[in-house]
């Protein structure tokens, strides 16, 4: 069977290979005193809070399970708009919000609405792998621009200007980022948007981790800049609803009918039950719970990152959001007599029963040096993982002597 070149362009998701291997080994060691600790997982270890679960059950019982309009329940769009007002002090009218099947569908819709065949989109290296594949699926080309720790692993206005070519259509950023958990400083973001706008380009920003920000200097939505910024968001991370497949897209008003037409045809609508459930996310009780969980994520970060540094797994930039640590494993790997983050990931999995994600999927610049740890795991698991890594390093040291 002939496979489309579009499908062939989509690279394999190597993370899944590691996850598969970790899953297989986890079954073998499940009943030992060292079961697998999964620090490779990019989703919260919390589930939707009680009011959200009850709202879903109520919707099912009431038979509120037909399609909704393609842009989502008006009431939910209003609630999301209210969240921007309350939390970020930004006025985002509900009519500019399109509810989608996760950020993934939002990214797909934005790319299909705006990218012509051959258009190039600049994004940072490292960045979330699927984002470049959304561009590719729309027949565009993701151009990865290497970034440094000094730049918080984000694009700068200067770099965007330097990388801009006749084919460039815009930028796709993520702030806070996966895999680094670092954000773009608001002033820099403004400058990037200025550079892009002057060239008639588009600024797409994936703000899926924005709710999980720990530093006021960064915890601002790009939507505060102007109405032309396109923001992608989700109920997956801050709202702990990964499998419910619900997110949203904020677009300039003129783009709403275009995105609506695409959404009607490609998805019909996002899950109705999830939409009714999500209404309860914005109740005071739910927000209080989400804020408790955000504090827990921050406490894990505050404990875990210095521990990694002390082990020689240097995290060059303290993450200001999300639940990741992007650590340079070069010197630790050398101690183990191996090189590169791919082998490091397999060694920690085999020897310490700690699963982590090698940098490979996230780009090409320095990703062979870096691994991504996820702190979306309990403090007890994080502590045990550090103990095992410490023991592994000590054993390697003894062997080397
Ligand atoms: C940066 C980023 N964007 C988008 C997504 C997709 O999220 P969703 O579950 O909302 O489709 C993820 C998921 O991990 C992510 O990390």
């Amino acid at each position: 069977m002939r496979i489309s070149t579009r499908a062939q362009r989509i690279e394999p998701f190597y993370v899944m290979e590691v996850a598969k291997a970790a899953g297989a080994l986890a079954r073998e060691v499940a009943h030992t005193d060292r079961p697998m600790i999964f620090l490779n997982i990019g989703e919260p270890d919390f589930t939707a809070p009680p009011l959200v679960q009850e709202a879903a059950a109520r919707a099912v019982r009431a038979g509120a399970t037909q399609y909704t309009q393609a842009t989502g329940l008006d009431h939910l769009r209003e609630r999301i708009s209210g969240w921007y007002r309350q939390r970020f002090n930004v006025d985002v009218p509900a009519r500019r919000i399109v509810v989608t099947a996760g950020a993934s569908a939002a990214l797909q819709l934005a790319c299909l609405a705006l990218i012509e065949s051959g258009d190039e989109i600049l994004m940072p290296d490292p960045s979330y792998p699927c984002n470049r594949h959304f561009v590719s699926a729309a027949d565009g080309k993701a151009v990865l621009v290497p970034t440094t720790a000094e730049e918080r692993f984000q694009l700068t206005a200067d770099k965007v200007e330097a990388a801009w070519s006749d084919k460039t259509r815009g930028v796709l950023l993520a702030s806070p980022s996966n895999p680094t958990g670092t954000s773009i400083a608001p002033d820099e973001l403004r400058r990037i948007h200025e550079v892009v706008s002057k060239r008639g380009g588009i600024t797409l920003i994936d703000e899926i981790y924005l709710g999980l920000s720990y530093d006021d200097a960064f915890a601002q939505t790009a939507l505060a800049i102007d109405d032309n910024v396109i923001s992608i968001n989700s109920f997956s991370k801050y709202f702990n609803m990964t499998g419910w497949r619900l997110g949203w897209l904020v677009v300039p008003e003129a783009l709403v009918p275009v995105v609506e037409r695409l959404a009607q045809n490609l998805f019909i609508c996002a899950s109705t039950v999830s939409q009714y459930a999500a209404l309860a996310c914005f109740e005071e009780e739910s927000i209080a719970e989400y804020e408790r969980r955000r504090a827990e994520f921050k406490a894990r970060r505050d404990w875990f990152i210095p521990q990694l540094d002390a082990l020689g797994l240097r995290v060059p930039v303290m993450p200001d959001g999300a639940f990741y640590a992007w650590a340079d494993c070069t010197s630790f790997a050398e101690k183990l007599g191996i090189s590169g983050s791919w082998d490091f990931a397999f060694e920690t999995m085999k020897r310490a029963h700690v699963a982590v994600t090698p940098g490979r999927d996230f780009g090409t610049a320095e990703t062979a040096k870096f691994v991504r740890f996820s702190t979306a795991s309990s403090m007890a698991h994080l502590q045990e993982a550090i103990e095992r890594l410490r023991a592994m390093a000590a054993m390697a040291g003894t062997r080397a002597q």
Side-chain angles (χ1 to χ4, degrees), residues 42 102-104 107 128 178 206 208-209 234 236-237 245:
S104 304
L107 282 154
Y128 177 61
N178 176 4
D206 178 345
I208 182 170
Y209 295 103
S234 178
S236 287
K237 311 293 173 163
R245 308 310 304 127

Side-chain angles (χ1 to χ4, degrees), residues 66-142:
Q66 286 82 14
Y67 296 136
T68 67
Q69 62 186 19
T71 47
L73 292 173
D74 282 336
H75 196 26
L76 181 58
R77 298 164 83 198
E78 288 292 346
R79 289 233 138 170
I80 296 169
S81 168
W83 187 67
Y84 280 116
R85 208 168 21 254
Q86 275 156 20
R87 177 124 186 213
F88 303 104
N89 202 20
V90 175
D91 184 30
V92 180
R95 60 179 181 280
R96 289 180 48 208
I97 298 170
V98 178
V99 175
T100 57
S104 304
L107 282 154
Q108 210 171 313
L109 289 167
C111 290
L112 289 174
L114 294 162
I115 294 173
E116 291 286 8
S117 174
D119 280 353
E120 293 184 355
I121 300 289
L122 307 177
M123 48 183 90
D125 183 339
S127 57
Y128 177 61
C130 304
N131 284 0
R132 57 180 195 267
H133 296 139
F134 291 122
V135 170
S136 185
D139 290 338
K141 187 170 168 235

Side-chain angles (χ1 to χ4, degrees), residues 196-209:
V196 173
S197 302
K198 264 197 205 137
R199 285 157 182 75
I202 43 169
T203 302
L204 293 164
I205 182 152
D206 178 345
E207 298 192 307
I208 182 170
Y209 295 103

